[in-house]
Amino acid sequence: MASSDVHVRICEQEILKYDLEIKAFIQDITHCDGPHCRLTELNTDVKKSFHNLRLRIQDLEQMAMEQDKESDKQALIIQTEGHRKQMLSNQTAWRKANLASKLSIDNMEKQALLNGEDSAVRQRKMTKEGLAQTTSSITENLMSISRMMAQQVQQSEETVTTLATSSKTVNETNEEFKAMTGTIQLGRKLITKYNRRELTDKLLIFLALALFLATVLYILKKRLFPFI
């Protein structure tokens, strides 16, 4: 069960990592000021993260079905449903961000064509650039968290290997104990058997001695007191 708990924790950490990546990409889409090809690239990255997230949620659900205890199984199923709801919420936020960004880009392009006011366009560009820098900073922080989580995943994998080795050693020790227990039980049975035989032998010796003494007394009686 220890090994299973570690795998569950690793899976949940990866789910959290992909969830953070998706949220960061949604922020990038929200503040995307074009062109449309940039928006397409962001959407491609989001689709990849959603695909990876969906796979890890399926893995967590499979682990839930493999649990021995019903309480552990139900707890993991509840966690899986929570991750699915969060994924659906992210998908809704993604669609809204896409729609808002497309409308914003279209409006900016139309206004730039209609008004031809380069200064206003530059001012909006500067505002968008400031927002883009802020978003980039947030994304870098999220990616830093993701890297830290990846290190934790690697450490957890090393822990799994150590636990597997320890489990093998414990199993081997248990087998040795079982063999020793069998030997001890056999020895106990033999000792009990020998004790019983010793008691029987003593009883037989006592009876033989008593019979011998009775015979001697009887012979002495006949020889010394024949008239009795």
Side-chain angles (χ1 to χ4, degrees):
M1 289 298 296
S3 179
S4 176
D5 291 341
V6 171
H7 285 298
V8 169
R9 287 197 297 270
I10 292 174
C11 186
E12 289 179 342
Q13 288 173 355
E14 291 183 351
I15 289 174
L16 178 60
K17 180 185 73 173
Y18 292 129
D19 180 72
L20 291 174
E21 286 181 358
I22 290 170
K23 284 180 169 59
F25 286 134
I26 290 174
Q27 288 293 325
D28 290 342
I29 290 173
T30 301
H31 299 99
C32 181
D33 57 352
H36 284 288
C37 61
R38 172 57 182 162
L39 184 60
T40 301
E41 291 176 357
L42 291 173
N43 283 318
T44 300
D45 293 335
V46 173
K47 288 177 182 178
K48 290 180 181 178
S49 295
F50 268 119
H51 176 71
N52 293 329
L53 176 61
R54 191 175 295 106
L55 291 178
R56 297 311 290 154
I57 291 176
Q58 290 175 356
D59 290 341
L60 184 62
E61 184 177 26
Q62 182 64 31
M63 292 179 190
M65 296 304 175
E66 294 174 353
Q67 294 298 312
D68 295 330
K69 294 183 179 179
E70 184 64 23
S71 58
D72 294 340
K73 177 180 178 181
Q74 292 300 324
L76 285 180
I77 289 175
I78 291 173
Q79 290 181 15
T80 302
E81 292 301 323
H83 291 313
R84 279 207 174 93
K85 289 179 181 179
Q86 183 62 42
M87 183 176 66
L88 292 175
S89 176
N90 287 337
Q91 287 176 338
T92 302
W94 176 35
R95 286 192 292 268
K96 290 181 179 179
N98 255 307
L99 180 60
S101 184
K102 287 178 181 178
L103 289 174
S104 177
I105 293 172
D106 291 341
N107 290 333
M108 287 177 62
E109 291 178 351
K110 288 178 182 179
Q111 188 152 3
L113 290 173
L114 292 173
N115 297 332
E117 296 178 355
D118 294 338
S119 60
V121 173
R122 283 196 298 271
Q123 185 177 0
R124 285 196 296 272
K125 289 284 187 181
M126 290 175 64
T127 302
K128 287 288 185 178
E129 287 175 358
L131 291 173
Q133 290 177 354
T134 302
T135 303
S136 176
S137 177
I138 294 173
T139 303
E140 289 178 358
N141 291 334
L142 290 173
M143 294 306 295
S144 176
I145 293 174
S146 297
R147 286 192 294 271
M148 292 175 62
M149 291 180 65
Q151 292 176 356
Q152 291 180 355
V153 170
Q154 184 178 1
Q155 292 176 357
S156 298
E157 290 176 349
E158 293 175 354
T159 303
V160 169
T161 303
T162 303
L163 287 172
T165 303
S166 300
S167 177
K168 182 179 179 181
T169 303
V170 170
N171 288 333
E172 292 176 352
T173 305
N174 285 335
E175 292 298 327
E176 292 179 358
F177 280 148
K178 288 179 180 178
M180 291 176 63
T181 301
T183 303
I184 292 171
Q185 289 178 350
L186 179 60
R188 184 181 299 170
K189 289 180 180 179
L190 291 174
I191 291 172
T192 303
K193 181 178 179 182
Y194 290 144
N195 287 335
R196 289 177 181 175
R197 181 170 294 177
E198 181 181 3
L199 180 60
T200 302
D201 291 343
K202 287 181 179 179
L203 182 60
L204 291 174
I205 291 171
F206 176 77
L207 291 175
L209 182 60
L211 180 60
F212 175 74
L213 291 175
T215 304
V216 171
L217 290 175
Y218 178 77
I219 294 171
L220 290 174
K221 177 184 175 183
K222 289 297 183 180
R223 294 289 181 89
L224 296 177
F225 307 100
F227 53 87
I228 298 177

